[in-house]
Amino acid sequence: MSVTVVEHPLAQHLLSQLRDVTTEPEIFRRLARQLTTILVIEATKGLALREVTVQTPLTECKTQVLAEGLATVPILRAGLSMLEPVLEMFPDVKVGYVGLERHEDTAIARSYYMKLPKLEGRFTLCLDPMLATGGSAAKAIGQLKVAGARKIAMVCVIASPEGVDYLQAIHPDVAIVTACVDECLNHRKYIVPGLGDFGDRLYGTFE
Ligand code: PRP
Ligand code: URA
């Protein structure tokens, strides 16, 4: 399926500030919320609509409202930073959680938590800011499919070419929406140029 790079100037402006090593956690969290808003608007542009009639102050108006159920699943912990804007824009969204942590040496993601609603018939947004090897996203999306998800979009702030290739190989039906596909992974499987460890920068958990 598609990879969409959101090239809106504001998305790129926000991403530049996220990349900046001098950006402190409080600002970093705000930027993550703002950029997620833009990414999610792009990811949901294909949502189905149905016709309704409303009364304006002047006359009756045939118009449209959202017709498709939505679900979202942030991957803990960094994906949590992307949840609030989704809740703001789609108050009826069902929310599930998947907890995954990459091993420091192998970069293989270990599952430590999962709580998912029924996802049948719901367009499901999987939220994780960094698509590095793609291992975490692929594992999470496998769990979403077991819970019934069929239409899935992976929303991330930065992707690596390796992560995009891996995710597309394992889940070719999943749309990827990101603000940038960066150059490569380094020997520790961090995205380059990237922005470092997203979770640490969000929560100030540096050693
Ligand atoms: C980070 C990030 C992704 C994952 C991406 O999480 O938030 O979940 O790494 O890497 P991958 O594509 O190679 O799997 P991490 O495991 O560091 O956990 P955290 O969110 O708790 O910091
Ligand atoms: N996780 C991050 O937070 N950053 C990376 O570059 C790779 C994985």
Side-chain angles (χ1 to χ4, degrees), residues 109-130:
R110 172 187 69 89
S111 174
Y112 61 85
Y113 184 75
M114 187 176 57
K115 187 111 186 167
L116 295 175
K118 287 207 174 90
L119 296 173
E120 283 100 357
R122 292 190 173 269
F123 180 48
T124 303
L125 298 168
C126 185
L127 308 175
D128 193 337
M130 305 304 273

Side-chain angles (χ1 to χ4, degrees), residues 10-89:
L10 180 56
Q12 297 307 312
H13 179 75
L14 296 168
L15 176 59
S16 300
Q17 295 171 75
L18 283 167
R19 288 190 193 276
D20 187 334
V21 69
T22 66
T23 300
E24 296 290 339
E26 185 186 354
I27 307 296
F28 193 92
R29 290 192 289 270
R30 174 174 58 73
L31 295 166
R33 290 195 297 273
Q34 291 172 328
L35 181 49
T36 300
T37 301
I38 300 171
L39 297 174
V40 167
I41 287 172
E42 175 65 29
T44 52
K45 73 179 180 194
L47 280 179
L49 291 167
R50 67 180 166 83
E51 272 208 356
V52 293
T53 303
V54 301
Q55 181 74 38
T56 78
L58 303 179
T59 185
E60 264 194 2
C61 170
K62 277 202 196 320
T63 184
Q64 295 178 314
V65 293
L66 294 175
E68 200 171 345
L70 197 72
T72 194
V73 180
I75 301 180
L76 308 178
R77 102 195 122 139
L80 266 187
S81 64
M82 304 172 77
L83 177 59
E84 194 181 306
V86 179
L87 293 172
E88 281 285 322
M89 286 189 282

Side-chain angles (χ1 to χ4, degrees), residues 25 59 77 95 99 106 109 115 127 136-137 139 145-146 158 160 162 182 186 192 199:
T59 185
R77 102 195 122 139
V95 182
T106 64
K115 187 111 186 167
L127 308 175
S136 302
K139 207 167 249 182
K145 288 182 174 175
V146 170
I158 302 179
S160 73
E162 296 90 331
D182 268 7
N186 70 10
V192 179

